[in-house]
């Protein structure tokens, strides 16, 4: 699978046919990188080496590749499918969200290699592990771990995003444990500083008996101070007690009088039971009718005011009925109303007298508990404050000692955690190195297969007993890592080919370097079997016959044209 045609408006416009392995030749500044950027844009939605950055995906920045209003790129694949990218300006100095369509999974391995190898040796080693080591089980990882490290590894592995690969989990745990160890060491330093502050100028730790004695002295001096306050106000309390005593006497006299009245009422037998509601209503109606009859008589009315009879009506019977009721029911009603009033007064005076006596008794009890001897209040207060301050100081010292021991325990546990983490970091590091070492020989052969025969790739993971990650070309029995630009370009391209993993579309686009014609021919030959599409850019053409599978695209000439390699003729000797 490869891109066979690219069309774009970037950098003045691109319209080019491509082969699976393509050498793009032309003077500097003529548009070779425009072809590469158009491919990157069409399949990846980004472009490299723009505005000083390795990879650009922001639409507003990508618009600068064209006229600032619209940028697009269209790629046609060898199977007939296509990919496209288009971004437009929003006419306000920015850009609208780009439309990107790519039906395939595309990647640019050389970018990954440059990013991975540009970091520390640990970063490079981890990258090699993720790309090179295959078919690894959890047992392979923890084979030399202690039981404690194995348990801790399992705990950390569960906390990491699961990619489904043992290698990825190993790298994630190693990085997470190393990060945690650094954070815990920083925390340990903070805890140590706090311990030093807690221990500075710390008095001797008070014993439990000393604390108890200080507590009792505090409580006793407080009680003495409160007693002094009471003795100083005894005269005022006595005056208040005398007032309450007089109030209680008056209330008792009122109660006795009320009880006497109640006794007299009880001595008189009631003329009958208390009136019912029905009897109350009957009395009221008879009285009302009798009053109406009296009004009839007073007015000399010819018509009855009760029944409106025009004849003369004699209501004397009604008046007699009223007198009868007044003499019987009325007497009962009056007795019960008087009795209720007397009984309620008796109850009220009893309650008032009881309350007054209780208040007097309570105050008298307080007065009896107050010392007769007058104590100096200020001296008692000073004594209490001294005892309180001593108790507080001793309690504070005891608390500081408790915090000190707690801080020491915290530091001890923290050191144990750090020790476990450091063991896990070292164990995972050793596992990483062991797994990488096992795969080094094959990896060196794979990389060498994409290099010219004049280059000898070498990878060193241990040097003078230390774990390292140094790689380059071996010459005269020595490893050379300070490579020229052209050598570095060859090496990163070979590393990318050897470490590439499955993808629908792999596109290898190394930086343009000034290869000499012979070296360029050797590089092209070595990359004839690269596992994807290769796009080399060069200001000069290769020397000699075009290697198998390569296409040469010349840009910048009056008539741009492409040259494809032909199958090499067999020699019959």
């Amino acid at each position: 699978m490869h891109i066979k045609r690219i069309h774009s408006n970037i950098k003045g416009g691109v319209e080019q046919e491509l082969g699976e392995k393509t050498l793009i030749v032309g003077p500097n500044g003529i548009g070779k990188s425009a072809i590469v950027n158009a491919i990157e844009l069409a399949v990846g939605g980004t472009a490299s080496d723009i505005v000083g950055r390795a990879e650009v995906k922001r639409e507003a920045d990508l618009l600068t590749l064209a006229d600032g209003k619209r940028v697009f790129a269209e790629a046609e694949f060898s199977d007939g499918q296509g990919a496209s990218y288009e971004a437009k300006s929003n006419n306000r100095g920015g850009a609208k969200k780009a439309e990107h369509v790519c039906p395939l999974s595309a990647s640019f391995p050389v970018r990954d290699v440059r990013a991975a190898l540009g970091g520390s040796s640990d970063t490079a080693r981890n990258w090699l592990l993720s790309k090179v080591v295959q078919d690894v089980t959890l047992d392979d990882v923890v084979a030399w771990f202690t039981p404690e490290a194995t348990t801790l590894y399992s705990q950390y592995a569960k906390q990491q995003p699961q990619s489904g690969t043992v290698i990825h989990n190993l790298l994630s745990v190693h990085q997470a444990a190393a990060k945690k160890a650094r954070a815990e060491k920083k925390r340990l330093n903070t805890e140590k500083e706090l311990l030093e502050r807690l221990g500075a100028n710390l008095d001797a730790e008070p014993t439990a008996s000393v604390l108890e004695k200080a507590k009792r002295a505090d409580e006793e001096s407080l009680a003495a101070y409160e007693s002094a306050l009471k003795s100083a106000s005894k005269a005022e309390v006595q005056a208040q007690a005398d007032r309450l005593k007089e109030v209680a006497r008056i209330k008792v006299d009122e109660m006795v009088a009320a009880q006497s009245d109640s006794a007299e009422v009880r001595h008189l037998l009631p003329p009958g039971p208390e009136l019912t509601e029905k009897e109350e209503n009957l009395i009221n109606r008879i009285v009302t009718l009798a009053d109406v009859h009296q009004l009839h008589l007073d007015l000399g009315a010819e018509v009855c005011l009760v029944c409106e009879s025009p004849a003369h009506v004699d209501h004397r019977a009604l008046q007699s009925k009223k007198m009868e009721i007044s003499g019987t029911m009325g007497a009962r009603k009056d007795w019960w109303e008087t009795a209720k009033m007397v009984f309620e007064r008796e109850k009220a005076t009893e309650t008032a007298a009881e309350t007054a006596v209780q208040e007097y008794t309570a105050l008298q009890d307080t007065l009896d508990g107050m010392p007769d001897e007058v104590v100096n209040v200020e001296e008692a207060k000073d004594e209490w404050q001294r005892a309180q301050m001593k108790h507080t100081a001793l309690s504070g010292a005891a608390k500081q000692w408790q915090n000190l021991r707690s801080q020491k325990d915290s530091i001890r546990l923290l050191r144990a955690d750090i020790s476990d983490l450091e063991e896990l970091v070292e164990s995972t590091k050793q596992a990483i190195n062991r797994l990488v070492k096992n795969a080094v020989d094959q990896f060196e052969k794979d990389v060498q297969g994409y290099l010219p025969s004049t280059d000898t790739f070498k990878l060193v993971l241990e040097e003078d007993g230390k774990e390292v990650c140094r790689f380059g070309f071996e010459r005269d029995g020595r490893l050379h890592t300070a490579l020229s630009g052209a050598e570095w370009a060859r090496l990163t391209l070979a590393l990318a080919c050897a470490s590439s993993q499955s993808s629908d579309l792999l596109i290898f686009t190394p930086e343009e370097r000034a290869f000499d014609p012979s070296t360029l021919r050797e590089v092209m030959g070595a990359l004839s079997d690269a596992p994807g599409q290769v796009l080399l850019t060069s200001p000069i053409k290769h020397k000699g016959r075009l290697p198998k599978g390569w296409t040469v695209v010349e840009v910048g000439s009056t008539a741009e044209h492409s040259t494809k390699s032909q199958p090499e003729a067999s020699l019959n000797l």
Side-chain angles (χ1 to χ4, degrees):
M1 178 67 68
H2 66 278
I3 298 171
K4 71 175 186 179
R5 189 183 70 84
I6 186 70
H7 172 55
S8 176
N9 68 337
I10 67 173
K11 297 181 180 180
V14 172
E15 183 70 44
Q16 187 62 59
E17 298 286 336
L18 301 169
E20 185 177 354
K21 309 293 186 295
T22 304
L23 173 65
I24 305 171
V25 181
N28 292 330
I30 204 64
K32 299 187 299 296
S33 62
I35 298 176
V36 175
N37 288 152
I39 292 172
E40 293 173 332
L41 204 58
V43 299
T46 64
S48 61
D49 298 323
I50 307 298
V51 294
R53 298 202 296 272
E55 184 177 358
V56 176
K57 62 175 63 177
R58 186 169 173 264
E59 288 87 345
D61 293 333
L62 292 172
L63 284 172
T64 62
L65 294 174
D67 58 6
K69 297 181 179 180
R70 174 177 179 259
V71 61
F72 75 90
E74 298 171 346
E76 181 182 348
F77 301 135
S78 56
D79 66 350
Q81 297 187 82
S84 64
Y85 176 94
E86 182 179 29
K88 296 180 180 180
S89 170
N90 60 10
N91 299 320
R92 297 190 303 274
K96 299 178 182 178
K97 183 175 178 58
E99 295 182 3
H100 181 218
V101 178
C102 184
L104 305 177
S105 172
S107 63
F108 296 86
V110 176
R111 287 186 188 175
D112 297 337
V113 171
R114 286 202 295 259
L117 302 186
S120 65
S121 61
D122 284 340
T123 301
R125 189 184 298 109
N126 292 347
W127 174 81
L128 284 172
L129 181 61
S130 65
K131 295 294 184 181
V132 175
V133 181
Q134 305 295 328
D135 300 327
V136 175
T137 67
L138 179 60
D139 290 337
D140 296 328
V141 172
V142 301
W144 299 97
F145 284 20
T146 63
E148 294 78 12
T150 302
T151 300
L152 191 57
Y153 180 86
S154 299
Q155 294 174 357
Y156 268 78
K158 292 177 181 178
Q159 300 172 8
Q160 308 310 313
Q162 299 299 307
S163 69
T165 65
V166 175
I167 291 300
H168 183 275
N169 290 342
L170 171 60
L171 295 174
S172 297
V173 170
H174 177 72
Q175 293 171 357
K179 181 179 179 181
K180 181 67 173 179
R182 291 192 297 270
E184 293 294 80
K185 287 180 180 178
K186 184 177 180 180
R187 180 185 162 197
L188 177 61
N189 292 333
T190 302
E191 297 286 345
K192 287 180 178 178
E193 292 176 2
L194 179 58
L195 180 64
E196 291 178 0
R197 289 197 298 269
L198 288 173
N201 303 320
L202 188 61
D203 296 331
E205 183 177 12
T207 62
S209 61
V210 170
L211 279 173
E212 182 61 28
K213 183 178 179 180
K215 180 182 178 182
R216 285 198 307 269
D218 185 5
E219 293 173 347
E220 291 172 357
S221 61
L222 175 60
Y225 174 49
E226 292 174 343
S227 178
L229 290 174
K230 291 178 181 179
S231 67
S233 60
K234 187 172 184 178
E236 182 180 347
V237 175
Q238 181 64 63
Q240 185 179 0
D242 292 341
R243 290 193 296 273
L244 287 179
K245 182 178 180 181
E246 179 61 23
V247 171
R249 186 189 63 77
I250 294 172
K251 296 297 183 182
V252 170
D253 289 345
E254 291 176 351
M255 179 189 69
V256 171
Q259 288 175 343
S260 177
D261 292 343
S262 296
E264 291 180 4
V265 171
R266 289 188 179 91
H267 180 71
L268 299 173
L269 294 176
E274 187 175 2
L275 294 180
T276 64
E277 183 179 358
K278 185 176 182 181
E279 288 175 326
E280 287 275 0
N281 291 335
L282 179 59
I283 292 175
N284 292 334
R285 289 171 184 170
I286 293 298
V287 171
T288 300
L289 289 174
D291 291 341
V292 173
H293 166 64
Q294 185 60 45
L295 181 60
H296 174 81
L297 296 177
D298 292 343
L299 294 176
E302 295 296 331
V303 178
C304 180
L305 297 179
V306 177
C307 61
E308 296 184 352
S309 174
H312 177 71
V313 179
D314 186 359
H315 291 292
R316 285 177 294 180
L318 182 61
Q319 190 67 22
S320 298
K321 187 67 173 177
K322 175 184 177 183
M323 294 300 292
E324 179 185 348
I325 290 175
S326 299
T328 55
M329 292 185 182
R332 287 166 56 196
K333 181 179 181 181
D334 292 342
W335 189 93
W336 281 105
E337 287 179 350
T338 302
K340 284 182 178 180
M341 182 180 66
V342 172
F343 296 156
E344 288 177 357
R345 179 172 174 269
E346 178 188 22
K347 184 176 180 180
T349 57
E350 286 178 352
T351 302
E354 183 179 356
T355 301
V357 170
Q358 288 177 348
E359 291 178 352
Y360 167 70
T361 303
L363 191 59
Q364 187 62 46
D365 291 342
T366 300
L367 191 62
D368 293 341
M370 298 177 72
D372 295 329
E373 180 184 359
V374 178
V375 181
N376 189 305
V377 176
E378 290 301 322
E379 290 181 359
K381 181 180 179 180
D382 291 342
E383 182 65 26
W384 168 59
Q385 288 179 338
R386 284 193 295 271
Q388 184 188 44
M389 290 175 62
K390 183 177 180 180
H391 183 211
T392 301
L394 289 173
S395 298
K399 183 66 175 177
Q400 283 184 306
W401 277 99
Q402 182 181 353
N403 291 339
L404 189 66
R405 282 192 293 272
S406 177
Q407 190 67 19
K408 287 181 177 179
D409 290 341
S410 177
I411 289 175
R412 178 176 55 79
L413 294 175
L414 191 55
R415 281 174 172 160
D417 290 341
I418 292 173
S419 177
D420 291 342
L421 284 169
E422 288 179 336
E423 181 182 358
L424 178 60
V425 171
E426 184 62 26
S427 297
T428 53
K429 182 177 180 180
Q430 291 176 0
I432 291 171
N433 293 334
R434 185 175 69 253
L435 294 172
V436 169
K437 286 178 181 178
N438 292 339
V440 164
D441 291 342
Q442 184 59 47
F443 182 66
E444 285 183 338
K445 293 177 182 178
D446 292 341
V447 175
Q448 189 65 53
Y450 299 108
L451 287 170
S453 58
T454 54
D455 295 329
T456 302
F457 174 68
K458 185 68 176 177
L459 173 63
V460 177
L461 295 176
E462 184 176 344
E463 194 171 64
D464 297 330
K466 296 181 180 180
E467 302 292 344
V468 297
C469 184
R470 300 179 64 237
F471 50 87
F473 293 146
E474 188 177 45
R475 291 192 288 268
D476 302 325
R478 294 177 54 208
L479 175 64
H480 292 263
T481 58
L483 305 179
S484 67
E487 290 173 327
W488 178 250
R490 298 199 301 271
L491 179 56
T492 55
L493 187 56
L495 286 168
C497 290
S499 62
S500 295
Q501 297 175 348
S502 61
S503 180
D504 293 337
L505 180 62
L506 294 171
I507 304 176
F508 299 91
T509 56
E511 299 178 35
E512 179 177 334
R513 294 298 177 183
F515 294 116
D516 62 81
S518 297
T519 302
L520 179 58
R521 168 64 173 76
E522 292 178 355
V523 170
M524 294 169 64
L527 294 174
S528 292
D529 295 325
Q533 186 167 15
V534 180
L535 299 170
L536 281 176
T537 56
S538 173
I540 60 172
K541 293 183 67 174
H542 62 288
K543 181 180 180 181
R545 187 181 181 89
L546 184 63
K548 177 185 66 174
W550 279 84
T551 298
V552 177
V553 172
E554 297 186 51
V555 296
S557 60
T558 54
E560 296 186 5
H561 63 276
S562 301
T563 303
K564 293 185 178 181
S565 65
Q566 300 296 326
E568 295 184 2
S570 59
L571 300 178
N572 297 318
L573 300 179

